[in-house]
Amino acid sequence: MHTRKISEVIAGRPILTSPAHLTVSDAARLMAEAKVGSIMATEGDNLIGIFTERDALVRVLAAGLDPQTTPIARVMTSRVMTATPEMPLGHALHLMFEGGFRHVPIVENGRPVGMVSARDALGPELVEFEGELLQREAIAEVL
């Protein structure tokens, strides 16, 4: 699982980007519609930051800022740890663990091409766990 290339994980997924002047409220709406927990802020084609659900909660709501008027540029993370599509998924997971965050933008030449989240690591494990539970249930029925 950790040796899977990031390109395999992000293949076919749409990416969510916006200009940094977008308001927190509008960014949250886009994230909700796309069912994702983050949005990549861009200037032209280049990644300049990331805004996440946690930013909305901690840097906006808890700080008493108005989400209707606050641009994501004011509350996003601008020093972003990134990975490239050729790297193994384990590299992105290591960045998340070491940095204490849950999203890693995937870039090529500074341009966002995808996003990896902590949830991506859970997919195969959850399928495997579900299979184990079904096996245990089948064994319990036989006994």
Side-chain angles (χ1 to χ4, degrees):
M1 187 257 331
H2 298 296
T3 58
R4 273 190 304 160
K5 286 192 182 262
I6 290 173
S7 60
E8 296 172 33
V9 175
I10 65 171
R13 288 189 189 171
I15 63 170
L16 189 59
T17 63
S18 80
H21 63 76
L22 189 72
T23 66
V24 167
S25 181
D26 288 338
R29 193 171 1 299
L30 288 174
M31 290 162 50
E33 288 171 4
K35 296 181 178 155
V36 296
S38 64
I39 189 167
M40 293 179 278
T42 56
E43 188 172 279
D45 287 338
N46 294 315
L47 178 71
I48 61 167
I50 181 174
F51 177 76
T52 68
E53 297 165 317
R54 187 181 295 173
D55 295 329
L57 180 64
V58 176
R59 296 178 177 177
V60 180
L61 296 176
L65 299 178
D66 181 358
Q68 299 290 332
T69 59
T70 303
I72 62 172
R74 181 172 172 194
V75 291
M76 70 183 182
T77 300
S78 55
R79 291 185 154 199
V80 183
M81 301 293 291
T82 63
T84 63
E86 304 82 38
M87 293 178 171
L89 176 60
H91 178 78
L93 297 176
H94 179 74
L95 289 175
M96 288 181 225
F97 177 76
E98 290 293 316
F101 46 83
R102 295 178 277 188
H103 299 89
V104 175
I106 309 306
V107 298
E108 284 184 323
N109 302 316
R111 195 179 114 254
V113 296
M115 179 74 71
V116 172
S117 73
R119 180 181 295 171
D120 293 320
L122 296 177
E125 278 78 13
L126 289 177
V127 170
E128 188 175 317
F129 180 66
E130 185 178 65
E132 289 176 14
L133 287 178
L134 290 173
Q135 280 183 328
R136 289 179 187 178
E137 286 176 8
I139 291 170
E141 288 177 11
V142 172
L143 298 176

